[in-house]
Amino acid sequence: MVRLHNLVAVAALWADLSAAQYTGYKNCDALIDAGLGDSLLLHNSSAGSPYLSSIGSYYSFTAREILPWCILQPKDAEEVSLAVQALAQLPATGRWNIAVRGGGHSAWLNNNIAQGVTIDLSLLNTTRVRNSTCLSDGNSIASIGAGSRWASAVTEVERYGLGLTGGRVAGVGVAGLTLGGGASFHSGRRGFACDDVVNYEVVLADGRIVNANSRVNPDLFKALKGGGGNFGIVTRFDMVAFPAPQLYGGYIMSSWDQFDPLVDGFINVISTSSEYTANSQIFLMNRSPGSPMPLIGSIPVNTDGDENSPPFDYLNDVPLVFDMRAKQTYGELVTSMSDNGGQRQYSYVWFSLCFHNDKRMIEKARDLFLGLLEDTEEESDVTVMFVFQPLPKHYAREGNVLGLDKTLTDDSLIWLGEAFVNTPAQEALFQAKLAVINAELEAFAVSIDANTQWRYLNYVNPSQDPFSSYGAENVQFLKNVSLQYDPTGFFQHRVSGGFKISAVE
C-alpha cells in the first residue's frame, strides 16, 4: 500500500512538472527552453493569479479582453535578450504574434496579443539617480526602467530635489510616452521628453543588448527619439535630472459662458510662452456623465512656482467652478491628474491634429464638439473631451526625428478629441463620429492656412499616419536605421503595436 501511495505521488509530481514544462504552444515552450520558466505566466482563471493580475492592470478594457497564450515578465535586460533570441528563431506562423508592454496605457491593442506571447516589462520599474553631477551642465542622470510609470519616476527623483521632463498623468508609462516624443509641462525649457534622454539600453532583434547615445550607435539614438518601437525593446532610459523647485498650478474649471475670455487668455499664454518659458497650459472642453452642461477646464502651470506670472492674470477675472491651483511638486501634480478622473472605462477613442494657435480653430472645434454632443445625446454616460495643448515654435529641437525643427513654422496647438466609452457599440459609434470631426477640422485648418504638418504619435488614431508628418528625410532615415538594426524585420512583422515605419510609403 505504501508503495502504491508512493507511485501515485510520483505520478502526480510528474504531471505537475510536465504541466509546468510544456504548454503545447511553441513560442511559450521556447521561452521555457531558454530558461525563462520562472518568469513565465500561464493562463490561470483563478482570481488573483499572476496572469490575471497582469491582464487586469491594463488601462483599457479592450486590452484586458485580449488573452495571450503566456505572459513573460522579465526581471532584467538579460531575460529580455533571451526571450528575443528564443522567439526570433521560431518560424513566423503569422504576423504579429509577440507584443511588448511598458506601462499598458494604450487602448489600441499595441501592448497585448491574442494567440501569442506578451512581454510585460512591468518588473523593470525602478528609477535610480546617479548622485554625482555627471553632465557638463551640472545636471544628474536618472536611470528609469522601461516598465515605470511617470508618477513613480518623478516622485523618486524629487527625493533629490530634481525633476524630469516627464508625462503629465500619473499612470502613463515612461516607455510609450518617451518613444513617441513626450509632451511635458517642462517642454518650454527642455523640449520633449525624448530630448532629455542621454542614453537608451536596447535589446535588438538578434538579442544583443546595446547602448545608444551620442557616441555609441548614434543613428539608433536619434531614431528612438520619436521613432516608437520600430528598432528594439528599450529596457532603460537614462534621462537628464535637473534641479526643479515646486511649481504652481493645477486644474481649474469654469462654466461654458466663460468660453471667450478663457480662449483669449489661453491663446495669449501660448503666444507669449517663448518669453515666459516656465509657463504651460492645457485647455479643454468636457462633457462628463451626469453633467447637464459641458464645462471648460484648464491646467495652467508655472514650473518656477511663480503664482503671479503675467500671462495668467486673466484668470483673476474669470469666475471658476473650482480651483485646484497650488504650490506643489511636479510629482504631486502628476499624481493628482488621471485620465477621465481615474475611471477605467471599457475603452477610449481618440484622434489628433495640430494647427496654428488661432482662435478660429478653437471656435470651429467648439462647434464640432457641441454638434457631437447633440448627435450623441442618448449616450450621456460617455465622457467626451476636446483637449488643446501647446506646441509653440520654441519647443522644436534638433537631434530627434520629429521634424519640428523644420516644419513648425508657427506657434501651434495639439488637439486631442477623445471619448471614454462603456460598450463596444459606443466604441464603434464614437470612432465613426470622431473620424468625421477630425477630417472636418483638418479641412478647415487647411482652408484658412492654419494647418500644422506634424502629428503627435502618442495621440493619433491608428487610421492616421504620424511618421509621414516627420518629413521625407526623417522617414528615410528611420527606414535606414530599421534595416541596419533589424535586417530581418522582426519588429516590423513579428511584434504588434504602434506605427510601423515599414508601412510608410
Side-chain angles (χ1 to χ4, degrees):
M1 182 66 70
V2 173
R3 184 179 180 187
L4 179 59
H5 280 305
N6 288 340
L7 289 173
V8 171
V10 169
L13 177 62
W14 175 253
D16 287 343
L17 289 173
S18 298
Q21 198 168 15
Y22 300 105
T23 68
Y25 301 117
K26 289 183 178 179
N27 43 13
C28 301
D29 290 342
L31 296 174
I32 294 174
D33 289 340
L36 297 171
D38 289 343
S39 298
L40 202 64
L41 308 180
L42 304 180
H43 187 278
N44 187 325
S45 59
S46 300
S49 70
Y51 179 96
L52 289 184
S53 293
S54 174
I55 293 295
S57 62
Y58 282 96
Y59 177 79
S60 170
F61 276 98
T62 47
R64 286 190 250 170
E65 289 181 340
I66 303 300
L67 300 180
W69 285 328
C70 56
I71 299 171
L72 180 72
Q73 289 186 329
K75 303 177 186 67
D76 49 38
E78 286 70 25
E79 289 199 349
V80 177
S81 170
L82 289 173
V84 170
Q85 291 179 65
L87 295 170
Q89 292 174 8
L90 296 176
T93 56
R95 289 173 61 90
W96 298 346
N97 53 12
I98 304 161
V100 179
R101 172 192 176 170
H105 191 265
S106 176
W108 297 122
L109 309 184
N110 290 343
N111 45 27
N112 202 3
I113 193 79
Q115 301 179 353
V117 175
T118 293
I119 300 175
D120 176 2
L121 302 176
S122 60
L123 298 184
L124 308 183
N125 59 11
T126 58
T127 297
R128 181 174 63 88
V129 176
R130 301 185 189 180
N131 292 326
S132 60
T133 53
C134 44
L135 298 176
S136 59
D137 57 6
N139 290 323
S140 299
I141 291 178
S143 296
I144 309 171
S148 301
R149 314 275 182 106
W150 279 111
S152 61
V154 171
T155 300
E156 175 62 21
V157 303
E158 286 178 348
R159 294 176 55 227
Y160 302 88
L162 301 171
L164 297 169
T165 306
R168 296 168 296 198
V169 176
V172 170
V174 170
L177 181 126
T178 307
L179 290 172
S184 171
F185 287 126
H186 285 296
S187 291
R189 288 188 173 153
R190 307 204 61 88
F192 287 86
C194 68
D195 296 317
D196 260 350
V197 178
V198 296
N199 180 71
Y200 301 86
E201 180 184 74
V202 193
V203 176
L204 300 178
D206 59 8
R208 283 183 296 149
I209 303 173
V210 303
N211 286 297
N213 52 59
S214 60
R215 299 180 303 278
V216 179
N217 298 306
D219 284 351
L220 178 60
F221 178 59
K222 180 178 179 179
L224 290 168
K225 291 178 178 285
N230 279 280
F231 317 102
I233 300 176
V234 177
T235 52
R236 191 187 74 237
F237 297 81
D238 295 332
M239 295 189 69
V240 177
F242 48 87
Q246 285 192 318
L247 54 79
Y248 179 75
Y251 194 57
I252 62 176
M253 185 163 282
S254 303
S255 57
W256 193 259
D257 59 1
Q258 298 301 313
F259 179 87
D260 281 320
L262 285 168
V263 170
D264 292 339
F266 173 66
I267 292 289
N268 182 61
V269 169
I270 307 307
S271 64
T272 61
S273 61
S274 61
E275 179 182 358
Y276 297 92
T277 56
N279 283 350
S280 181
Q281 187 172 8
I282 296 173
F283 176 86
L284 59 91
M285 308 170 191
N286 179 72
R287 195 281 306 275
S288 298
S291 176
M293 291 289 293
L295 296 172
I296 298 174
S298 185
I299 307 167
V301 172
N302 180 279
T303 56
D304 282 342
D306 184 357
E307 300 180 30
N308 299 296
S309 181
F312 290 131
D313 284 347
Y314 77 99
L315 293 173
N316 298 329
D317 302 320
V318 177
L320 301 177
V321 176
F322 64 83
D323 185 351
M324 297 179 64
R325 285 176 294 173
K327 205 76 171 283
Q328 56 188 318
T329 67
Y330 197 104
E332 289 169 339
L333 176 62
V334 167
T335 301
S336 71
M337 295 175 59
S338 57
D339 296 83
N340 194 27
Q343 299 297 313
R344 289 182 175 180
Q345 307 281 113
Y346 170 78
S347 185
Y348 55 148
V349 181
W350 65 61
F351 283 80
S352 183
L353 298 170
C354 294
F355 39 72
H356 295 177
N357 183 38
D358 187 321
K359 186 177 181 180
R360 292 174 296 173
M361 291 304 309
I362 300 180
E363 289 175 331
K364 178 65 174 180
R366 173 201 59 195
D367 295 342
L368 293 170
F369 177 80
L370 294 175
L372 175 63
L373 299 189
E374 184 177 350
D375 289 344
T376 60
E377 185 177 4
E378 295 182 356
E379 312 296 337
S380 59
D381 59 336
V382 172
T383 296
V384 181
M385 288 195 289
F386 280 12
V387 186
F388 304 82
Q389 301 179 25
L391 186 65
K393 291 185 294 183
H394 72 280
Y395 278 22
R397 299 289 191 278
E398 296 180 356
N400 59 46
V401 293
L402 303 176
L404 291 170
D405 55 314
K406 295 183 178 178
T407 63
L408 189 58
T409 58
D410 294 83
D411 290 338
S412 297
L413 303 172
I414 303 171
W415 169 77
L416 172 63
E418 56 186 339
F420 297 81
V421 300
N422 302 293
T423 67
Q426 288 177 337
E427 183 178 28
L429 172 65
F430 281 90
Q431 176 80 15
K433 295 290 185 181
L434 285 172
V436 172
I437 286 173
N438 185 80
E440 289 186 19
L441 193 57
E442 184 173 28
F444 180 75
V446 171
S447 72
I448 64 170
D449 197 26
N451 184 55
T452 296
Q453 174 178 321
W454 190 62
R455 298 292 179 261
Y456 186 22
L457 184 148
N458 290 336
Y459 286 175
V460 292
N461 185 274
S463 65
Q464 297 180 268
D465 181 10
F467 285 137
S468 291
S469 74
Y470 290 8
E473 183 178 346
N474 281 326
V475 168
Q476 189 58 54
F477 173 78
L478 291 171
K479 286 179 175 288
N480 292 343
V481 173
S482 176
L483 289 173
Q484 179 183 355
Y485 288 91
D486 182 16
T488 65
F490 178 80
F491 289 101
Q492 300 301 310
H493 306 301
R494 296 288 301 282
V495 179
S496 70
F499 295 90
K500 300 300 182 184
I501 189 61
S502 59
V504 181
E505 295 183 1

